[in-house]
Amino acid sequence: MRRLLLALPFALLPLAIAQAAEEHDHDHQHASLSAHEHGVGRLNAALDGQTLELELDSPAMNLVGFEHAASTPADKAKVAAVRAQLEQPLVLFSLPQAANCVLSQQELNSPLFGDKPDADDDHDHDHDHKDAKDAKDADGHEHHHDHSEIHAHYQFTCSQPDALKTLDLAQVFKTFPATQKIQVQLISPNGQQGLEVTAKAATLKF
């Protein structure tokens, strides 16, 4: 499968935090590029002819509400529910019916889905908290060592791509309210842009 997004995996991300650059020092900016930050998701979007590709990466905390391996029935039910929501991208991303987009490829990956478990998944609950406490004591900030990500990749074939004037992420924020902002890299016939969207400003233009 030809993946449009591989060409510029993170090339535009510095633009997405351009506004933050005025308020943070350079070291903090650099760290934020690859940081696992709760409340913040990342979306790559590319439109090339009739092919639309979307790639969403998010801390599991934003979508599921936890990042440990699901062991209780309630946790497993929550993971299953989130996976089912991610399996409906036409609804999740509010793609306009006029564009006549059909999902041609879909890939969901996460340690919570049983994919590539994190090393820390085997750690017990107390040990995880001890690690976090030690990290907090060392520098005054709390760091968790059991981070889990959820990765969703979609490819659509849209017979009327001219109808894709905007990408509305409002349903993403509504479905996953713990997501406070999404850093977006957008590649379209009109060029490339990096920006940040929130629930109050969730629409971007192709």
Side-chain angles (χ1 to χ4, degrees):
M1 179 179 67
R2 184 169 65 105
R3 296 187 63 168
L4 306 175
L5 297 169
L6 290 179
L8 291 171
F10 293 101
L12 298 175
L13 192 52
L15 298 178
I17 60 167
Q19 293 179 343
E22 299 176 2
E23 302 175 4
H24 299 80
D25 60 45
H26 177 74
D27 289 339
H28 183 79
Q29 293 170 42
H30 182 74
S32 69
L33 295 181
S34 59
H36 176 103
E37 184 177 354
H38 292 170
V40 180
R42 298 174 302 282
L43 176 70
N44 297 325
L47 178 61
D48 181 15
Q50 294 186 337
T51 301
L52 172 65
E53 196 164 357
L54 301 175
E55 196 168 37
L56 177 68
D57 287 289
S58 174
M61 182 66 72
N62 297 355
L63 310 187
V64 182
F66 56 85
E67 299 194 344
H68 55 266
S71 55
T72 67
D75 284 355
K76 292 178 180 179
K78 181 63 176 176
V79 170
V82 166
R83 183 161 190 162
Q85 290 168 322
L86 292 171
E87 289 174 343
Q88 301 294 325
L90 289 170
V91 175
L92 190 62
F93 293 100
S94 304
L95 297 181
Q97 291 185 356
N100 196 23
C101 295
V102 177
L103 182 65
S104 55
Q105 298 284 346
Q106 175 174 278
E107 182 181 0
L108 302 176
N109 292 297
S110 174
L112 273 64
F113 298 156
D115 304 317
K116 299 177 181 178
D118 290 342
D120 291 283
D121 285 348
D122 294 332
H123 291 187
D124 61 41
H125 189 68
D126 293 336
H127 184 67
D128 285 338
H129 276 277
K130 181 177 183 300
D131 286 345
K133 181 178 183 299
D134 291 344
K136 185 174 181 180
D137 290 342
D139 59 12
H141 298 284
E142 185 171 326
H143 297 285
H144 294 283
H145 294 270
D146 56 349
H147 294 319
S148 293
E149 294 272 334
I150 292 177
H151 172 81
H153 174 254
Y154 311 98
Q155 185 168 296
F156 307 86
T157 299
C158 304
S159 63
Q160 300 296 327
D162 290 345
L164 288 171
K165 303 296 185 183
T166 61
L167 182 61
D168 185 359
L169 301 181
Q171 188 62 35
V172 177
F173 289 105
K174 182 179 180 180
T175 304
F176 306 116
T179 300
Q180 300 169 5
K181 59 185 177 180
I182 299 175
Q183 295 173 342
V184 181
Q185 302 172 69
L186 181 64
I187 305 171
S188 74
N190 294 323
Q192 304 169 3
Q193 57 181 316
L195 63 160
E196 192 170 88
V197 296
T198 64
K200 294 182 178 179
T203 302
L204 50 96
K205 294 182 180 180
F206 277 105

